[in-house]
Amino acid sequence: GGVPAYPSLEDRGDDVALTVHASRDEALRRHPQGVRRLLRMALADKLKQARKQLPIQPKTALLYAAIESAAPRNLPGNDSDRLRADLVEGAFDALAAEGLESIRDHDAFDLRRDAIAKGLFPEAMARLQQAQTILGLVADVRAGLDSKLMGWASGNLDDMRAQLAALAPPGFLRDVPAAALADYPRYLRALVLRSERALRDPGKDQARMLELKPFADALAGAAANDRLDDPEWQALRWDLEELRVSLFAQELGAKAGVSPKRLAQRLARLQGV
């Protein structure tokens, strides 16, 4: 006849505490965060070793530094150090992304810790290879956006620059989920094609841009209100990228089932319309 209580591990930044909650949902929300922090603490030496061993080429570091210069983070180390840190953190997050809510005893924790320790450096290396492709394409997009469109057509250029800034802000190789990052080469190649075609026919580009504007504006509003981490808003974000591929570079292939009508329906649900 007692009061129900639900235990969880709670991430407190520098340490982890065992806490008890009256709400089961609250305990389930907090527990994976606590387990992730405990895993990071247990794997501190492995994380450090992986950062040290990653073979970053100077060109790759410079390409990442060009992104970092847009909004520098107050982080220690040089350009290579920041890239190494983001790649290793991204690898850790990918390996610790799922299943943490079920880790409730030492054996389960040790099993997951050992699995991450084994997979950390291979995952970081795979992400480095991916990063080399992505960063090269970011540089290609920037080169294309250096073209000057005069008058009203400059809005097309501003829209493409805003898209690139949203795709590749400082730290994106750490923060973007692995599944979305795998699609980046296609998104960036589509942006290169769009920039080339906009120069030839800015009016056609603008018509398509205006079709997408309500979704881009809604996502900007969600970001301003700290709602963009919500899974539903994230789904809208990546579906918008797929729609851009479909409209501006159809030959690259967009995922099935993405259309302006479906995005409008999803946005209406998110906004409670």
Side-chain angles (χ1 to χ4, degrees), residues 66 81 124 161 185 191 226-227:
D81 291 336
R161 286 173 175 156
L191 190 48
D226 294 325
R227 298 179 63 193

Side-chain angles (χ1 to χ4, degrees), residues 9 11 49 118:
L9 293 177
D11 179 5
Q49 183 182 23
K118 182 178 179 180

Side-chain angles (χ1 to χ4, degrees), residues 181-253:
L181 206 60
D183 289 318
Y184 263 49
R186 188 162 47 88
Y187 297 156
L188 292 165
R189 290 188 180 104
L191 190 48
V192 170
L193 287 174
R194 179 189 172 187
S195 67
E196 294 170 351
R197 291 166 178 170
L199 283 174
R200 297 193 295 268
D201 192 345
K204 186 176 182 179
D205 182 87
Q206 187 184 59
R208 292 172 172 170
M209 177 186 74
L210 293 175
E211 190 174 0
L212 301 179
K213 191 174 186 300
F215 311 121
D217 289 348
L219 285 165
N225 292 306
D226 294 325
R227 298 179 63 193
L228 201 54
D229 287 338
D230 181 276
E232 290 296 322
W233 281 103
Q234 281 291 301
L236 179 68
R237 175 189 180 187
W238 302 120
D239 277 354
L240 176 57
E241 294 300 333
E242 293 293 338
L243 187 56
R244 283 173 168 144
V245 173
S246 178
L247 292 181
F248 295 111
Q250 190 174 23
E251 66 268 38
L252 295 181

